[in-house]
Amino acid sequence: MRTASDEDTTELAAARTPGAAASGSLLQVSGLHSGYGNLPVLHGVDLAIATGQTAVLLGLNGAGKTTTAQNICGSLKTWAGHIVFDGQDITRWNTKRCVGTGIVMVPEGRRVFPGLSVGRNLQVGAWSQRRDQDWVDQQLEQVLTYFPRLRERLNQLAGTLSGGEQQMLAIARGLMARPRLLIIDEASMGLAPVIVKDVFDIVRRINADGVTVLMIEQNVGALEVADVGLVMERGRVVRTLVGDELRDRSAVSEALMG
Amino acid sequence: MSASTTDRPAPLEAEVDVPPTGDGSGDRAGLSDRLSRSVAEHRVGLIWSGAVVVLAAAMIAAGMDVGAMLVNGLGAGAIYAMVALGIALVYRATRVLNFAQGELGTMPAFVVVLILLGGDLDGFVDPAQVSFGQMLALTGLAVVIGASMAVAVNLFIIQRLADSSPVTSLVATAGVALLLIGVQVVAFDLQSRTFPQFFSGSIRILGLRFPSHTLVIACVLAVASVLLVGLFRTRLGVALLASAQDPFAAELHGVSAKAMSSLAWGIAGGLAALGGVLGAGVFEGITPGLMTTTFLVHAFTAAVLGGIGSPAGAVAGGLLLGQVSAMANTTTVGLGISVPNAPTLAAFVVLLLVLGFRPLGLLGKEA
C-alpha cells in the first residue's frame, strides 16, 4: 500500500511540473454553453485540469460554477461546446456513464441519505463498483482510514451526524465510486472554520493518493490546497491562477471582485 | 474531523461493535434497548391495543363469536395489507399516491378469467375444474402482468410528470384506474364472473374454523413481507431506499432513479396482482373495478394508519384495520343494531381518528 502510494506521489510530482498540464490533461472543457430551461448560464467555459492536480473553481453566486460541474458529471444537458475526459469526448454522456469512467461529484449541501446508516451510505456510493467486491472492501478500509470518525459511526443514521461529519461522509461516499476526477461542490459551505481546515486537509491527502480533484468554492482559503485556481464570472472562466498567484490574496480578490 | 480524544471510545470497543460492512449484524446488541425505545415511541398505539383487548373481553362476555371475528378480520386485513404495501412502496419511491393500485390487481385477475375461459367470454369458469397447479401458474402470470403494467405506468406517465405537482400525478393515477375499469367494462361487461380459489373448504386450528382461502392469503402476505424485508437488506434494496430519499444524490453514484422507481412500481404491481387474484377469490367472483370498490379505500386507510410510506406500517395497518372492520360487523350484528355497511364506516372513523390525533400514523416518521 505504502509503496504504491509513494509511486503515485512521484508520478504526480512529475505531472505537476510546468508544461505537463497541456500534455497530461485529464479534463478539457472548451466553449461550454449550458443553462436551465431557456435560461442560459454558461457562455463559453474553457478550462483544463491536468492529471493529479487539485483545481479550485472560484466565483461568486450565480457565476456558473455548479452548472459547469453538472455538465462535467453529466447531470445537466450541454447546449454547445465539448467536454473531453482522458481523451474521450464525454459531452453527451449521462451521469451513470460518467460515474463509470471515474467522474464523481460530491453534491452541494452534502445530500447524504439521512435515513440510511453511514455504512449503507458508503455502500450506495460504491454502486458503480458493485461487481468488484474485493476492491470495494479494500476501498472501504482506505476511506475509513481517511475518516476515522465515520468508522465509529458506521451503524448510525447519516441524518443524525453533525454538518461536518455529513460533509466527510459525502466525500467518503464519493470516494467509494472509484473517482479519477472528484468534483467537490461547496464543501466548506456552512461549516466552522476549524472543520473547513480538516476538509481541506483531507482533500490534500486524497489528492496525494492519486485522485484529481476539482473543488468548487466561494472560500478563497481553498486556494491553499490548489495547483490551479480558475476564476469564474458570468458564465465564463475569466482568469487562471497558478504558482505564486494562488498565494497572493490581493491578486485573488482582485480577480474575484473584478 | 475534530474528534476530541475524550469522547472517542477505546479502540477495542470500536472493533467489537462496528462490523466492517455495516450489514446489520451489530443490531442485535441493542435489541432490548431498541425495544424499550420503540415501546416509548409507540405508547399511544399500545394503549389502543390494550383498549381493543378489553373490548374483545367484553364482547366474549356478551356471547359474541370473537374467534370467527378474528378469522374474518385476518382474511380481509391481509388483503388490505397487501394493497396498502404496494401503496406504501410507490409512495416512498416516487411520492405518488397511487389510485390505480386496486385496478393494477383487478386487470390481471380478469386476464386469469380470460385464460380460464379460453377466450370465450360467454362461458363460465367452474372453480372445481381449476387445479392447484393451474392456479399457481396463472397467479404467476398475473403477477408478471401486474408488475409490467405498473412499470409502464411509472415510465410513461409518472416519470414524465416528475417535475409537476404531486396532485397532477395523483390525478393521473386516478385516470389510469378509470381507464382500466373502462376497459374491463367494455371487454367483460358489467356482470359478475366466477373466480376460483387455491383451496376451498376450511380447516380447524386451535378450535377456530379458518377458511382455507384465508390461510392462503395470510401465507402469501407473510411470504411477500419476508421477501421485502430481505430485499431491503441487499445492495439493490439499499440503493432503492437511497434513491427514494434523494434521487439526485443516488444518480451521482450511478444509481438510476428511473430504474429504482420502476423496481418499486414493479413490486407494487406484483402485490396488486396478488391482491387481485386473492381478493376475487374472497368473493369467488369478479366484477369490473372490484379491487377499487371493495379494497382501495380500506388499503389507503391502512397505509395512512401505519404511516404512509412505511411498508411495515402498511402491513400492520392493514391487519389492524381488518380486525376493526370485523369487530364493527360482529358488534353491530351481535347487539342487533342495524348499521348499513358498518365495516366501512368503522374504517372511515379510524381514518379520521388517525388524521386527527396521529397524522404520522403508527410507524410513520417525521418527513
Side-chain angles (χ1 to χ4, degrees):
Chain A
M1 197 68 226
R2 170 158 296 222
T3 51
S5 84
D6 283 350
E7 267 170 35
D8 283 353
T9 327
T10 30
E11 269 177 39
L12 295 180
R16 272 186 199 143
T17 52
S23 59
S25 196
L26 181 67
L27 178 76
Q28 185 109 39
V29 174
S30 48
L32 190 64
H33 285 74
S34 184
Y36 304 92
N38 289 322
L39 179 78
V41 176
L42 303 183
H43 307 277
V45 172
D46 299 295
L47 62 88
I49 302 170
T51 308
Q53 275 186 327
T54 295
V56 173
L57 192 56
L58 276 172
L60 302 175
N61 267 336
K65 307 182 297 287
T66 298
T67 313
T68 305
Q70 287 189 338
N71 270 275
I72 297 169
C73 76
S75 71
L76 196 64
K77 212 175 158 207
T78 303
W79 296 359
H82 289 281
I83 305 168
V84 176
F85 181 76
D86 197 19
Q88 276 177 300
D89 187 334
I90 61 157
T91 315
R92 305 257 165 258
W93 286 20
N94 64 16
T95 316
K96 197 174 175 165
R97 239 178 129 185
C98 288
V99 173
T101 199
I103 302 174
V104 179
M105 176 149 105
V106 178
E108 186 177 351
R110 324 194 232 287
R111 308 284 287 257
V112 296
F113 305 115
L116 298 183
S117 68
V118 169
R120 295 292 201 202
N121 267 272
L122 295 176
Q123 188 185 25
V124 176
W127 177 255
S128 60
Q129 303 302 317
R130 61 192 181 282
R131 312 223 186 279
D132 190 354
Q133 193 56 45
D134 288 344
W135 181 87
V136 171
D137 293 342
Q138 266 179 36
Q139 181 71 358
L140 182 66
E141 221 17 73
Q142 172 74 31
V143 162
L144 293 178
T145 316
Y146 287 141
F147 305 105
R149 192 64 168 247
L150 295 183
R151 189 192 292 276
E152 294 166 18
R153 287 161 199 258
L154 270 182
N155 290 324
Q156 196 173 320
L157 291 186
T160 65
L161 298 179
S162 72
E165 287 165 346
Q166 288 193 12
Q167 185 60 59
M168 298 297 179
L169 176 56
I171 295 174
R173 183 181 62 181
L175 287 173
M176 293 305 295
R178 204 177 212 160
R180 287 198 283 157
L181 173 66
L182 186 67
I183 305 172
I184 308 176
D185 196 354
E186 299 272 10
S188 66
M189 194 175 58
L191 297 182
V194 59
I195 311 280
V196 171
K197 193 185 158 295
D198 285 341
V199 171
F200 290 165
D201 283 345
I202 287 286
V203 168
R204 209 191 299 262
R205 258 183 90 186
I206 292 166
N207 180 245
D209 286 345
V211 179
T212 307
V213 178
L214 172 59
M215 289 173 83
I216 294 168
E217 278 296 338
Q218 294 194 50
N219 182 341
V220 289
L223 288 175
E224 281 169 26
V225 294
D227 299 304
V228 57
L230 305 155
V231 181
M232 272 195 93
E233 208 180 284
R234 283 183 229 128
R236 282 191 189 85
V237 174
V238 293
R239 185 123 187 238
T240 304
L241 307 166
V242 286
D244 291 340
E245 294 168 304
L246 291 169
R247 321 293 169 220
D248 181 358
R249 286 293 169 94
S250 61
V252 170
S253 354
E254 187 195 321
L256 256 184
M257 302 304 170
Chain B
M1 287 282 85
S2 64
S4 69
T5 42
T6 44
D7 64 9
R8 190 183 292 165
L12 206 101
E13 242 174 73
E15 288 283 299
V16 176
D17 60 26
V18 178
T21 50
D23 58 5
S25 56
D27 290 357
R28 226 168 292 131
L31 193 65
S32 66
D33 191 38
R34 276 172 38 179
L35 195 68
S36 62
R37 200 172 346 132
S38 90
V39 166
E41 270 171 19
H42 305 309
R43 63 182 182 283
V44 177
L46 289 172
I47 292 169
W48 273 94
S49 319
V52 168
V53 170
V54 171
L55 196 60
M59 291 172 71
I60 294 173
M64 292 173 199
D65 189 349
V66 173
M69 180 194 87
L70 289 173
V71 172
N72 288 340
L74 175 66
I79 303 258
Y80 301 156
M82 225 174 280
V83 181
L85 193 51
I87 291 170
L89 274 174
V90 159
Y91 183 78
R92 184 151 181 176
T94 50
R95 302 279 144 184
V96 172
L97 286 174
N98 182 16
F99 273 79
Q101 184 67 19
E103 286 324 288
L104 289 174
T106 319
M107 202 69 202
F110 261 115
V111 174
V112 168
V113 171
L114 190 65
I115 292 172
L116 285 173
L117 289 173
D120 172 20
L121 288 176
D122 296 325
F124 167 80
V125 177
D126 181 3
Q129 298 293 311
V130 183
S131 72
F132 176 75
Q134 210 177 352
M135 198 57 201
L136 206 60
L138 288 171
T139 306
L141 178 71
V143 168
V144 171
I145 293 171
S148 315
M149 283 169 48
V151 170
V153 169
N154 179 46
L155 288 181
F156 297 119
I157 301 172
I158 302 303
Q159 291 300 312
R160 279 160 196 261
L161 297 176
D163 295 329
S164 56
S165 96
V167 176
T168 311
S169 301
L170 183 149
V171 172
T173 64
V176 170
L178 290 173
L179 176 71
L180 291 175
I181 293 175
V183 168
Q184 290 158 19
V185 171
V186 169
F188 299 93
D189 297 332
L190 262 178
Q191 56 167 303
S192 180
R193 291 167 188 275
T194 50
F195 198 89
Q197 300 177 332
F198 278 88
F199 299 106
S200 50
S202 62
I203 305 167
R204 285 196 85 82
I205 303 171
L206 299 170
L208 292 179
R209 202 182 61 82
F210 284 87
S212 308
H213 190 65
T214 299
L215 293 177
V216 170
I217 299 170
C219 288
V220 169
L221 175 67
V223 170
S225 308
V226 168
L227 287 179
L228 265 185
V229 169
L231 172 70
F232 287 136
R233 287 171 179 270
T234 65
R235 181 163 42 208
L236 182 65
V238 172
L240 175 63
L241 293 177
S243 185
Q245 284 174 28
D246 193 334
F248 175 66
E251 285 263 1
L252 287 179
H253 291 275
V255 179
S256 157
K258 229 176 198 171
M260 289 303 141
S261 60
S262 293
L263 176 64
W265 273 81
I267 295 170
L271 285 166
L274 284 176
V277 168
L278 296 171
V282 169
F283 300 103
E284 296 182 69
I286 185 168
T287 46
L290 173 80
M291 294 306 286
T292 301
T293 51
T294 49
F295 294 110
L296 192 65
V297 168
H298 288 82
F300 267 114
T301 307
V304 172
L305 175 60
I308 187 91
S310 156
V315 172
L319 293 175
L320 194 59
L321 195 68
Q323 295 304 337
V324 170
S325 303
M327 191 180 270
N329 203 27
T330 308
T331 12
T332 47
V333 171
L335 296 175
I337 314 167
S338 161
V339 179
N341 216 347
T344 308
L345 186 66
F348 278 118
V349 170
V350 168
L351 182 59
L352 290 176
L353 287 176
V354 173
L355 291 176
F357 293 102
R358 194 178 157 81
L360 288 175
L362 297 179
L363 302 180
K365 297 193 180 98
E366 317 280 338

